[in-house]
Amino acid sequence: MAKLTVKDLDLKGKKVLMRVDFNVPIKDGVIGNDNRIVAALPTIKYVLEQGGKAILFSHLGRVKKTEDKPGLSLAPVAKHLGDLLGQEIAFPGVTEGKNLEDAVALLKEGQALMVENTRYEDVDAKGEYIKRESGNDPVLGKYWASLGDDVFINDAFGTAHRAHASNVGIASNVAQTAAGFLMEKEIKYLDGAVNSPKRPFVAVLGGAKVSDKIEVIQNLLSKADKVIVGGGMGYTFSAARGLTIGNSLFEADKVDLAKQIMAEAGDKLVLPEDSVAAQSFANDVPTKIFANGIPDGWMGLDIGPKTITKFENTLKGAKTVVWNGPMGVFEMSNFANGTLELGKFIGSLTAQGAATIVGGGDSTAAVSQLGIADQFTHISTGGGASLEYLEGKTLPGIAAISDK
Ligand SMILES: Nc1ncnc2c1ncn2[C@@H]1O[C@H](COP(=O)(O)OP(=O)(O)O)[C@@H](O)[C@H]1O
Ligand SMILES: O=C(OP(=O)(O)O)[C@H](O)COP(=O)(O)O
């Protein structure tokens, strides 16, 4: 990679700005899976060992209103990072202002500070959704850059497909932006899959970020031999096929796009045949399998047995598999089966010589939770980022890293 990397930098005594992707699942203040934090440790440790003063930035979830803020504080993450590093991480609990600047000034060589969730800046004091971080407000990027000593390390591969103030904005206001070790590693693995995928190449998409990822399908169709769509993403296609979907996850304004994709894709696109459904989003209610549409009052929360078989048949003999997005709400045991079965099947292809890449915060949490993480060639910390990289797009977060 002809990009500047962390080893090219002189860090001693410098206030080093660092973007990491610590967008991890948190429930009631408890971190459900710390893969993304662990994956960034080598770069953070290196910066501290070199005598840098690390100023860490990350987003957490999506902040759209004031009420979102308390549950999306990075406080538990700063605490957990401190435990992993064996040293305290300063956490002033704000994204700007005197308290933050004073905490930065107190940092000594080898110490680290974590800024509060960068997306707190997306909602102002009046509760307006102003997207200062997500809209890459130039004043905000400049301000965050001013906290450091002109050096920025971007190790947030999972956020590389976003052009936000905390990655692209900071980068455009410092002399040097370098890739961290995680960013380098992710690019190395994905390059292999993009440039010369062994065929058949099958992409598997699921999850809940329908409007974000449905457009990826169109581009992937020209790269992959088959594109499997399940999980929450599948129901917009079911609706486009004229099936009833009850209360399942659904993006009404993407139905036309789904129709267009189906028409263009022909049998390259592989869609679900049945669902495991429930009458509420809960694990302690009865479940039922529906094959031809889901009736009112029910929501599809996992792929059903026929779909599992269909997807496995599609995957048989694949030599490259890229998977992003769980097949169901794996966080609840009643709806984890589709993700588990498909995950085990994809994992088994690795032993047959296939390159298997699973990406995304929740997808990697799922394979860890299910105990099958070691069966994949590469676990990517980025879901949307790895998909867009595979499409051949230039990711703004990577483009903003300085050339050597
Ligand atoms: N049928 C479904 N209905 C609602 N949510 C779903 C469904 N299938 C999967 N999900 C949810 O999708 C989420 C993950 O989606 P996404 O963020 O796109 O994946 P990743 O983080 O791996 O990129 C999980 O929290 C999972 O519960
Ligand atoms: O979790 C992430 O993406 P992913 O779910 O596609 O892996 C990244 O942290 C980006 O988050 P965003 O999709 O809210 O911008």
Side-chain angles (χ1 to χ4, degrees):
M1 184 171 64
K3 291 278 183 190
L4 208 63
T5 74
V6 60
K7 289 238 167 146
D8 298 316
L9 303 173
D10 175 16
L11 301 170
K12 178 136 181 74
K14 287 196 180 149
K15 286 176 275 174
V16 181
L17 304 158
M18 291 188 71
R19 180 57 158 97
V20 287
D21 186 334
F22 286 171
N23 184 23
V24 293
I26 299 184
K27 204 172 171 210
D28 302 328
V30 178
I31 296 171
N33 180 282
D34 68 354
N35 280 352
R36 281 180 164 168
I37 304 173
V38 171
L41 287 178
T43 312
I44 299 171
K45 280 185 183 160
Y46 179 83
V47 170
L48 301 180
E49 280 161 15
Q50 295 293 309
K53 305 169 182 178
I55 304 167
L56 299 162
F57 294 84
S58 176
H59 72 284
L60 177 65
R62 292 177 178 177
V63 182
K64 295 191 172 167
K65 50 187 188 315
T66 306
E67 297 75 47
D68 293 335
K69 290 187 178 178
L72 291 174
S73 168
L74 280 170
V77 173
K79 165 80 177 61
H80 188 65
L81 177 64
D83 292 345
L84 291 172
L85 288 170
Q87 67 180 73
E88 201 176 322
I89 306 297
F91 185 72
V94 285
T95 48
E96 59 183 335
K98 190 169 181 311
N99 284 356
L100 175 60
E101 291 148 29
D102 288 350
V104 168
L106 286 174
L107 283 176
K108 296 194 174 68
E109 288 185 15
Q111 292 185 339
L113 170 152
M114 171 130 245
V115 176
E116 182 54 285
N117 183 356
T118 53
R119 290 189 184 167
Y120 272 29
E121 289 287 340
D122 283 346
V123 174
D124 70 8
K126 291 188 213 129
E128 299 266 334
Y129 184 41
I130 53 166
K131 293 205 207 177
R132 271 190 102 203
E133 152 74 327
S134 301
N136 190 9
D137 176 274
V139 177
L140 184 60
K142 194 167 180 192
Y143 169 72
W144 279 336
S146 76
L147 297 172
D149 284 330
D150 233 6
V151 50
F152 178 44
I153 296 169
N154 191 348
D155 215 17
F157 176 76
T159 320
H161 57 319
R162 309 285 181 219
H164 291 182
S166 63
N167 59 351
V168 171
I170 295 178
S172 58
N173 284 288
V174 296
Q176 288 183 306
T177 298
F181 297 125
L182 174 63
M183 183 72 91
E184 268 191 288
K185 184 172 116 185
E186 293 271 18
I187 292 172
K188 191 180 119 205
Y189 271 100
L190 289 170
D191 264 342
V194 180
N195 296 330
S196 50
K198 287 189 286 172
R199 293 187 183 274
F201 171 16
V202 183
V204 183
L205 295 188
K209 291 182 178 172
V210 182
S211 50
D212 275 35
K213 293 177 186 169
I214 194 166
E215 280 161 39
V216 173
I217 297 175
Q218 233 165 354
N219 284 340
L220 275 182
L221 283 167
S222 65
K223 308 250 168 206
D225 299 295
K226 295 275 181 195
V227 178
I228 291 174
V229 176
M233 175 94 82
Y235 297 102
T236 300
F237 286 89
S238 302
R241 286 154 75 195
L243 296 171
T244 55
I245 55 165
N247 302 333
S248 308
L249 193 82
F250 162 66
E251 301 268 349
D253 60 347
K254 297 291 175 189
V255 171
D256 285 342
L257 179 59
K259 282 185 186 161
Q260 192 189 324
I261 292 172
M262 288 192 301
E264 282 168 22
D267 64 2
K268 258 196 180 186
L269 186 68
V270 184
L271 296 170
E273 293 287 322
D274 57 353
S275 291
V276 180
Q279 285 177 299
S280 57
F281 194 81
N283 203 33
D284 55 359
V285 292
T287 64
K288 212 167 168 176
I289 294 168
F290 293 102
N292 292 311
I294 296 173
D296 278 352
W298 290 80
M299 60 183 95
L301 297 173
D302 195 9
I303 52 172
K306 277 191 195 159
T307 306
I308 294 174
T309 306
K310 183 181 181 186
F311 288 179
E312 288 181 352
N313 285 335
T314 307
L315 282 158
K316 260 182 205 152
K319 289 288 177 235
T320 303
V321 181
V322 176
W323 173 26
N324 170 242
M327 291 293 109
V329 185
F330 72 95
E331 296 92 337
M332 295 194 264
S333 58
N334 282 350
F335 311 106
N337 190 49
T339 304
L340 175 63
E341 288 303 320
L342 212 69
K344 281 198 298 196
F345 193 85
I346 297 171
S348 75
L349 297 172
T350 317
Q352 296 167 32
T356 54
I357 298 173
V358 55
D362 291 300
S363 306
T364 56
V367 298
S368 298
Q369 183 184 309
L370 301 169
I372 53 174
D374 58 351
Q375 293 174 22
F376 295 83
T377 314
H378 179 56
I379 304 274
S380 172
T381 52
S386 58
L387 290 175
E388 291 195 22
Y389 197 88
L390 287 170
E391 284 181 85
K393 282 194 180 157
T394 302
L395 306 191
I398 297 177
I401 296 169
S402 314
D403 291 327
K404 271 206 193 204

